[in-house]
Amino acid sequence: MFNNKVKIILASLIAVLIIGGGVWQLTKLPAPLFPDDYSTVVVDEDGEQLRVFLNSQEQWIFPPQDKELPAKLITAVTQFEDKRFYSHWGVDPLAVGRAIVQDLRAGKIVSGASTITMQVARLAKEKDRTVVNKLIEMIQALRLEMKYSKEEILRLYLNHAPYGGNIKGYQAAAQRYFGKEAADLTWGQASLLAVLPNSPSLINPTRGREKLKTKRNRLLDKLQRKGIIDETTCQLAQAEEIPQGEQAFDLAAPHLARRLNNKYKQDVIKTTINKDLQQQSTQIVQKYMQKLQQQGVNNCAVLIADTKTGQVKSYIGSNDYFDHQHSGKIDGVQMKRSSGSILKPFLYAGAMDQGLIIPPSKIEDIPNSYGAYSPYNADNDFAGVVTARKALVNSLNAPAVSLLDQYGVQEFYNLLEEAGITTLFRDAEAYGLPLALGGAEIKVWDIAALYRGLGNYGHFSGLEVMQSEDKLFTTVDQAQQLITPGAAYLTLDIIDDLKRPGADYFWRNYSSQYRIAWKTGTSYGNRDAWAVGTSPEWTIAVWVGNFNGQENQKISGLNAAAPLFFELFNSLDKDYYQDFFAKPKDDLEEIKVSAQTGYRLSDKIMEQDLADLTTAVVPKNAKPLRYSPYEEIVYTNQAQTREVCSRCWERDDLTKSLEVVYPPQVVAYLSKRGNNVYTTLPHRADCPTVTNNNPIEFIYPQQDSIISIPRGSNGNYQKVTFKVAHSGQNSKLFWYLDQQYLGTTKGSHQKLMLPASGEHQLHVVDGAGYHREIDFYVKK
């Protein structure tokens, strides 16, 4: 008998344990309670929304936040859903009793007695509405109460409750229905959100609006009866209209937001963008581009960064994200486009660091041929020589290519790559000398980073657009001092002299106008217009053109990009007390240079006290400025009709002077402009050391040139001007093409010719027997 009782007890205990274990397993809470599947929210530097993306289920559901829950919403929800929420343990016995009585009277389930905690259990894992499932929810509610605080449970409910359509959570609902943060909800709006999850598929702002209004007003009446709100507040809240649909989220910096969302899998992406500045600059761009689009120029991209920090504050990938006709969703900030001449300042800065030039140094401005490459200035005019300052201010091509030839293509290539250019996909040799004139493609992002580095006194560290260590889009591994502060400042000072377009041309007449170092560029064929610049506070890069690469004569840096550049610059806040970059006094020093050529003079010249000197500022930490390639001490007879030397001079008939001796090609252009240029004199004929210094130089073409002959507007091939320089005054030259005599020239040596396609030899000879010849090739 005893054994049977023991067996029954043991069997009962085992049964209880099995049932209890089954119930415990059946009521186990999901882990995690809710899947980590929320909308990605891209925000600006202050947490303001730039763009919100749907989650993987195509739902609007904001990631949970730690900020305080709205008091009005808490009150409305607890009064409507669970008035004893703060006193029960997950299940409200009074509500359960009331529900049982109501259900028995109705003969069906009409009241579920679900607490907010039970609803969290149901939201975590959807279940059919059955008695068994209701019991499971009750047990799960008890388990939730043991694990979470009341505030945490309420937060779980509000963050995941359904609010109609694909809207989940109170944050998304407040913005989609009312266009505001939940903290700013009125009593009427909070009450509407409180009643909405009760049956969101049947009653919501897009369907059943009258029933929804009735439910909301009942809740407001209840709040008034309980003294939570007064009569006036209740009446005003009930008078509020039910929203008629959903409102769109803000959309600022859409190209950037999309790119970040594709790269980073996180709920909230914090950027350095300033939303107000982003919206302001976008409006300026859109208004400006409406005018250009009438001229067939359809696309634009802009980047604005803080010069000191490198943080991007405005990112405009295109002027109209929704302009499908003109590919508005293309991100122009990351698009590779021809650089035009916007890289020239970095060449001049690098050349200063190498000691090749300083701003007053004279550079040759003549048409030279470098093999098959013959760069011309934009206006096809040449001055002979110009200062480095003037060459850069006027963006002259011939001096820039001459300077790059001296500086070295590989060295310039390395400088650009180390500074952050990411688009150099060929080696330096493949780019060659055109690298300085638009031969390379570049991104708006990269060029903004370069100019910001120049504005940071040659210290290059790239740009930032994330509030994290991740430097998106940038290949600069670490900050590098690639240009000395002195050379950077002198370059900035030069390009500050550029003339502003349009009404801003006389900008220096107005003390309120701020200075900015800037540069324009236009690609070959008028496909790309650039305006890029930097001030102590702001770095701005503007590209204007057509994403499809269509040519348009209206597309030029000065006419298309610069006006927008300055409109943006003028709209930015600025420091009244710092209108331009401060001189880096520790990185600049004064030296004596030639007043004629802007170079140092050799000790031999300085010892003879013949030089006309002036003071110039140079980068202190750069290589020493080179000696002048032009100044020479010239010994002549006193009548200055013959040069002499120590083997032929007569002591009583001797004078010496320091002369600027330019090459014959340079002399030809200077003389053409009426400049008083020293002309080489013939050496004393009976001198035993007379050399055969040839006074003849070809200007165009040069040895092994390839000449492409274009057709004129009438369809006929155009004649080519062949040019030769002779250092002698009133010299006479005899011309021969392929051994056929062509005639003579005197003083100015030019001939119009139309050679046939193929190889040719041009031969010229002067009256003294000096001669030169070159070979060239003609293509028609």
Side-chain angles (χ1 to χ4, degrees), residues 282-306:
T282 298
Q283 290 174 359
I284 292 173
V285 167
Q286 290 177 341
K287 184 177 179 181
Y288 177 82
M289 287 302 297
Q290 286 176 359
K291 303 174 186 176
L292 278 190
Q293 285 182 324
Q294 296 174 9
Q295 303 175 39
V297 185
N298 299 304
N299 301 113
C300 177
V302 170
L303 200 71
I304 302 176
D306 184 311

Side-chain angles (χ1 to χ4, degrees), residues 321-342:
Y321 186 73
F322 297 104
D323 184 359
H324 303 296
Q325 181 181 356
H326 301 112
S327 305
K329 285 188 169 59
I330 289 179
D331 186 354
V333 171
Q334 302 300 329
M335 198 173 186
K336 302 175 184 177
R337 308 296 303 195
S338 173
S339 61
S341 57
I342 53 178

Side-chain angles (χ1 to χ4, degrees), residues 426-604:
R426 295 179 286 179
D427 58 29
E429 185 178 356
Y431 284 107
L433 294 172
L435 182 60
L437 307 184
E441 294 181 327
I442 197 169
K443 299 177 182 178
V444 171
W445 178 279
D446 290 355
I447 198 61
L450 252 68
Y451 274 79
R452 182 257 166 172
L454 191 64
N456 203 27
Y457 293 97
H459 193 255
F460 294 83
S461 58
L463 301 177
E464 298 178 4
V465 77
M466 294 281 291
Q467 292 186 31
S468 67
E469 295 299 321
D470 194 342
K471 290 191 175 182
L472 190 66
F473 318 132
T474 301
T475 60
V476 178
D477 296 327
Q478 58 185 359
Q480 302 181 77
Q481 190 74 49
L482 300 176
I483 297 172
T484 65
Y489 174 79
L490 291 174
T491 304
L492 292 166
D493 184 62
I494 291 175
I495 57 177
D496 171 51
D497 275 346
L498 269 65
K499 296 175 183 177
R500 299 191 179 194
D504 281 330
Y505 182 91
F506 299 104
W507 68 283
R508 291 190 189 277
N509 294 334
Y510 303 94
S511 60
S512 62
Q513 291 291 336
Y514 290 83
R515 299 167 62 188
I516 186 168
W518 67 294
K519 183 76 178 69
T520 60
T522 307
S523 68
Y524 178 78
N526 297 88
R527 292 182 173 89
D528 307 279
W530 294 92
V532 193
T534 184
S535 74
E537 295 173 284
W538 301 106
T539 297
I540 307 171
V542 172
W543 172 88
V544 174
N546 291 307
F547 285 152
N548 61 9
Q550 180 181 355
E551 297 183 20
N552 189 319
Q553 291 303 310
K554 300 293 184 181
I555 298 175
S556 74
L558 188 61
N559 296 327
L564 175 57
F565 173 88
F566 280 105
E567 194 171 344
L568 290 166
F569 179 62
N570 292 339
S571 73
L572 299 172
D573 293 333
K574 302 175 189 71
D575 182 355
Y576 178 81
Y577 298 99
Q578 187 179 14
D579 71 329
F580 199 62
F581 297 95
K583 285 186 178 181
K585 295 180 180 179
D586 294 338
D587 289 282
L588 293 172
E589 64 179 354
E590 292 184 347
I591 64 169
K592 294 293 185 180
V593 299
S594 165
Q596 301 298 316
T597 62
Y599 292 99
R600 285 196 306 148
L601 297 176
S602 67
D603 293 341
K604 178 182 178 181

